[in-house]
Amino acid sequence: MASLLRRILWCRQPSWYHVWNDAELLRVLEVIRVNSDSSVKVAVLQLYSALALCGNGAERLLENGENFIKMVVQCMDSTQPPSVRIEAFKLSQLLTMSEQRCSKMVRFCCEPIIQAIIGGLREYSLFVKEITQDQISVAVEAGRLALITRWAGEHQIYFWKLGIGKVLIELRLSEFLKAQRLQDILLSEEQKSIALKDPTFTWDILGGLVTHSGEDFNPKKSGNDICFLIDYACLTFVDSVRRRGQTSQYDANNINENSVARAVLMMIYSPCKYIKSRARSKLSDALKPEGKHYLKSLMDYLHYVSSRDEFGNLDERTSFSIVGLTCYSGLRRYRKYIIQSEGIKMLLAFIKQCLKSDFQLGRLIVAPDLQNMFSSRTCCQTCTELGWRRHSSVFWPVGTS
C-alpha cells in the first residue's frame, strides 16, 4: 500500500498536501518503518521521499525530530542492503534541499550522517576490486547528498575530520582504473556512462568545502590531501582552457571541465588564507608562459557573445568562459590586461543583455551535471534552496561574498 501511494503521489502533485498533512498516516508510517524487512523499508523510504518532494512536506517530516532522522541515518549505514541505502540517501537529499532544513537534520546526527556519506562514496573507491551496479548507485546518491557542503554548518568540520580529502583523491584517481574495469562488467552503456561521469560531483563537494572554510582554517592538519586536490584542480583547469582555445566543439569532457572550473573559482576566492594563497600561486605558475594567450581566447569569445542582439540560452562554453575570466581576475598579473582589453565594458554589456532578456538561471542550468530525478518534480522550494542565487550573482554559490 505504501508503494501504491508513492506511485499515486508521483503522478498527482495536487494530492501531496492532503497526504503529508494526514497525521494518522504519518503515525502509521512511524510504526511500520521499524520493520526489519528490507522491501518494507524501501517502500516506506520511497513514500517519505514522495512526501518530501514538497518543501512543506519535508518540513513536516523533520518535525518528527530526532527519532525520524536517526531512522533515516541508520538506513544509510553500510550494514543495510544497497536498495535501502540508496533510498535513504535519496530521501536525505530532499530533506536537506534548503540550508534551514539541512541545519535541522545535521543538528541531531551530524557525525553519523557524514560517516554514512563517506562510507557510500568509498563504494566507488580505487581499492574496490569488483564494481557492481548497486555500488555505483550507492556512491552516486551518497555523492549527491555530499553536496550539502554548499551549506555552512558544523558538518563542514566533520567532512575534513573524517577524511573527505582522501576520499575525493581516491574518487579522482579511480576514474582511470574504473574505465578499464567497466569494460568487463555486464552493465548497459547508460550505466557505464553514469559510473564514469558522476565523479564530477567531487569537484562540487570540494568547492563547497573551500567556500565555507574559515579564514584561519588549516586543512593540512588533516594531511596533505588538500594540497594535492588544489594542484590537481588548477592543472586540470589550465589544460581545459588550453584545449578550449584550440577547438569550439563540444565533447564529453566539457561537463567535468565546468565542474573543475567552478572548484578553482571557489578556491581562489576562498575565505581561507591557506587555500586561497596556494590556489592562486599554483594557478599562476600553471598558466605560464601562455596564460595571456589563453585569456585572450576566453575574452574574444565573451566579447562575441555579449555583442549579439539576442543573448539566447547560456551554453556550457559561455558558462566556462565567465568562470574562467573570474578566475583570471583573481590573479594580480592579469588584471591590467583584462581592463585594457575592455573586460569591464564587456561584462557590463553581458549583464545588460541578461537583464534585457529577463534572463534567469537556476543552479542546474549552470551545473547540469548535478541534476537528479527530483530536480524537475519538487515544489514549494525557494530559489536559494537550490543553492545558487539568480541574475548578477548567478555564478556564486549561496554563502559566498
Side-chain angles (χ1 to χ4, degrees):
M1 291 303 295
S3 180
L4 174 61
L5 182 55
R6 187 262 304 180
R7 292 177 184 274
I8 293 173
L9 290 173
W10 270 84
C11 297
R12 289 189 55 79
Q13 184 174 350
S15 65
W16 291 358
Y17 169 80
H18 302 285
V19 179
W20 63 251
N21 198 43
D22 189 320
E24 182 61 27
L25 172 65
L26 295 182
R27 281 194 291 270
V28 171
L29 291 178
E30 287 181 19
V31 174
I32 65 174
R33 74 190 185 198
V34 298
N35 193 304
S36 59
D37 188 307
S38 61
S39 63
V40 175
K41 286 182 180 293
V42 168
V44 172
L45 289 168
Q46 288 179 337
L47 178 53
Y48 276 135
S49 292
L51 298 177
L53 287 171
C54 173
N56 295 324
E59 290 281 359
R60 180 64 181 272
L61 292 178
L62 288 173
E63 288 176 4
N64 290 327
E66 188 173 1
N67 289 335
F68 171 74
I69 295 173
K70 281 186 175 180
M71 179 277 297
V72 177
V73 174
Q74 288 170 359
C75 289
M76 292 189 285
D77 191 80
S78 59
T79 59
Q80 297 290 336
S83 58
V84 174
R85 297 177 72 191
I86 291 168
E87 296 305 326
F89 280 127
K90 288 180 179 179
L91 172 57
S92 297
Q93 291 167 36
L94 288 165
L95 294 175
T96 58
M97 194 170 280
S98 76
E99 184 170 13
Q100 182 182 20
R101 296 208 303 265
C102 179
S103 178
K104 283 183 180 180
M105 189 163 179
V106 300
R107 184 170 68 246
F108 291 111
C109 303
C110 188
E111 186 170 0
I113 291 174
I114 308 308
Q115 285 178 332
I117 291 173
I118 290 179
L121 289 173
R122 286 190 183 279
E123 296 287 334
Y124 202 90
S125 168
L126 178 69
F127 307 108
V128 176
K129 294 182 179 180
E130 300 294 334
I131 309 171
T132 66
Q133 182 178 346
D134 284 340
Q135 286 175 310
I136 292 171
S137 298
V138 168
V140 167
E141 299 306 334
R144 287 172 174 158
L145 177 57
L147 293 173
I148 61 173
T149 57
R150 67 187 185 273
W151 307 124
E154 184 183 10
H155 58 285
Q156 299 281 340
I157 297 298
Y158 277 105
F159 268 111
W160 290 114
K161 179 182 177 181
L162 296 175
I164 187 63
K166 183 178 180 180
V167 174
L168 294 179
I169 291 174
E170 290 177 6
L171 286 168
R172 300 314 310 174
L173 296 179
S174 67
E175 279 189 285
F176 305 105
L177 188 58
K178 292 291 188 293
Q180 180 61 42
R181 289 178 180 169
L182 285 170
Q183 302 306 316
D184 304 321
I185 300 176
L186 297 178
L187 297 178
S188 67
E189 289 303 314
E190 180 183 8
Q191 290 164 346
K192 290 181 180 179
S193 174
I194 291 174
L196 289 173
K197 183 187 74 175
D198 267 297
T200 58
F201 56 55
T202 60
W203 294 122
D204 293 286
I205 294 170
L206 181 62
L209 289 168
V210 301
T211 296
H212 296 292
S213 296
E215 183 178 355
D216 297 319
F217 174 66
N218 183 7
K220 289 195 69 176
K221 289 182 178 180
S222 302
N224 291 319
D225 301 330
I226 186 63
C227 299
F228 176 89
L229 289 166
I230 291 173
D231 296 354
Y232 183 22
C234 289
L235 292 172
T236 303
F237 169 69
V238 171
D239 185 58
S240 300
V241 175
R242 176 188 61 79
R243 290 194 301 105
R244 284 171 179 263
Q246 297 173 349
T247 178
S248 60
Q249 294 182 344
Y250 175 85
D251 64 53
N253 290 323
N254 287 358
I255 291 179
N256 184 54
E257 290 173 356
N258 273 282
S259 183
V260 174
R262 292 193 300 269
V264 173
L265 175 70
M266 305 310 170
M267 291 174 186
I268 64 177
Y269 291 101
S270 171
C272 175
K273 293 179 181 178
Y274 176 84
I275 294 174
K276 176 167 57 180
S277 174
R278 185 176 183 92
R280 293 187 178 191
S281 175
K282 191 65 182 181
L283 182 59
S284 183
D285 290 342
L287 284 168
K288 296 177 182 177
E290 300 293 330
K292 192 169 290 186
H293 174 71
Y294 301 154
L295 174 58
K296 183 179 184 301
S297 177
L298 289 176
M299 293 190 66
D300 285 347
Y301 177 74
L302 289 175
H303 274 298
Y304 161 72
V305 173
S306 64
S307 64
R308 291 185 300 186
D309 291 335
E310 294 294 331
F311 180 77
N313 292 324
L314 181 82
D315 56 32
E316 61 82 26
R317 185 180 179 186
T318 304
S319 173
F320 179 89
S321 298
I322 295 176
V323 173
L325 178 59
T326 311
C327 290
Y328 265 102
S329 300
L331 306 179
R332 188 180 300 275
R333 67 169 61 186
Y334 296 106
R335 292 173 185 166
K336 184 177 180 180
Y337 178 82
I338 293 172
I339 295 173
Q340 291 177 341
S341 301
E342 297 186 328
I344 296 177
K345 182 179 178 181
M346 176 268 294
L347 288 173
L348 289 173
F350 189 94
I351 294 171
K352 183 178 178 181
Q353 284 281 19
C354 292
L355 296 176
K356 179 181 176 182
S357 306
D358 191 27
F359 192 69
Q360 294 187 341
L361 287 177
R363 174 169 167 257
L364 296 177
I365 297 177
V366 178
D369 47 306
L370 304 183
Q371 187 166 356
N372 59 36
M373 63 183 294
F374 303 124
S375 301
S376 61
R377 288 183 172 269
T378 57
C379 73
C380 302
Q381 316 279 0
T382 64
C383 298
T384 54
E385 287 180 347
L386 297 179
W388 296 78
R389 301 193 193 277
R390 297 188 173 187
H391 292 303
S392 60
S393 59
V394 66
F395 296 101
W396 293 89
V398 172
T400 60
S401 58

